[in-house]
Amino acid sequence: MSHAAAEETGQLSVLAQILRPVVGAGSEIVARRLIRRFGSLSTIYTASAQALADEIDESGINSRAIAAVIVAARDLAAVAGRETLLGEPMKTGSPAFRQYLAKRLLGRREECVMVLFFTHEGLFIAEDFHVGTRQSTCELPLRRTVRRAFDLDARRLVMAHNHPSGDPTPSADDVQSTRTFRQVMGALEFSLDDHFVVARGGIFSMSDNGLI
């Protein structure tokens, strides 16, 4: 994205405002650098703290503090977004639920895995978010998820992960690992209701497509 386009859409001013408590008077300069290097506010917003720090690691700039501020803003938005899941039984086919998954996963450079925990009635309890690296995929966190499900007294789970490539089609490994995951969880009396693949090309439901 060009600087002119960023200014026209208000991206520069918003990002500069977020950075001002850390950077001070130089916040707009840093905002311009970030947009130039990442290409858009959405890409900055979804980047990991390490990726942000690496991209802006220059002398005289507290790159980790800047990354922490951006991540904190993202976490705040994520918490606010989860309010749409509260109070009503989960409906994985609803536009609101899938929109939430898209907000959490779209645009990320790294492959990430989300696990959402629900009661037997489908009421939201908690969410775990696991971030991989740009060099490798993020594995399904089976052992940790089992422990969390017991600790939370959950009964139903939904998983989602992103494909940074933009193609939502699950790989053969995606399908096989999900089936193994579901089998193990089922033996422990937890239900894996669905596994979504989120990408620019759409959101793919393994349950809707008969893959689990």
Side-chain angles (χ1 to χ4, degrees), residues 13-151:
S13 61
V14 170
L15 184 56
Q17 183 178 356
I18 292 172
L19 298 177
R20 191 165 292 117
V22 175
V23 183
S27 61
E28 186 169 321
I29 294 173
V30 176
R32 287 179 182 274
R33 289 178 183 172
L34 284 168
I35 288 175
R36 182 176 66 247
R37 295 184 185 185
F38 282 89
S40 70
L41 188 60
S42 62
T43 307
I44 296 169
Y45 180 78
T46 55
S48 68
Q50 187 61 56
L52 289 165
D54 289 345
E55 290 288 349
I56 56 179
D57 188 14
E58 297 180 2
S59 59
I61 297 179
N62 190 339
S63 60
R64 296 203 174 275
I66 293 171
V69 167
I70 294 172
V71 171
R74 178 172 71 218
D75 291 345
L76 179 62
V79 171
R82 277 198 292 274
E83 290 183 354
T84 62
L85 304 179
L86 300 176
E88 296 291 335
M90 168 204 44
K91 296 179 181 177
T92 59
S94 71
F97 184 81
R98 299 192 182 198
Q99 184 179 35
Y100 175 72
L101 298 182
K103 285 181 178 179
R104 296 288 279 132
L105 290 167
L106 275 182
R108 288 184 174 269
R109 293 182 171 188
E110 307 86 6
E111 187 168 298
C112 307
V113 174
M114 289 174 59
V115 183
L116 297 95
F117 301 87
F118 299 87
T119 66
H120 178 73
E121 295 77 19
L123 298 177
F124 176 77
I125 302 174
E127 170 193 306
D128 280 359
F129 199 94
H130 308 272
V131 182
T133 69
R134 294 176 66 180
Q135 288 74 39
S136 64
T137 59
C138 188
E139 300 295 329
L140 298 187
L142 179 56
R143 291 170 61 89
R144 179 172 177 177
T145 300
V146 168
R147 290 196 298 269
R148 282 281 282 165
F150 276 114
D151 289 344

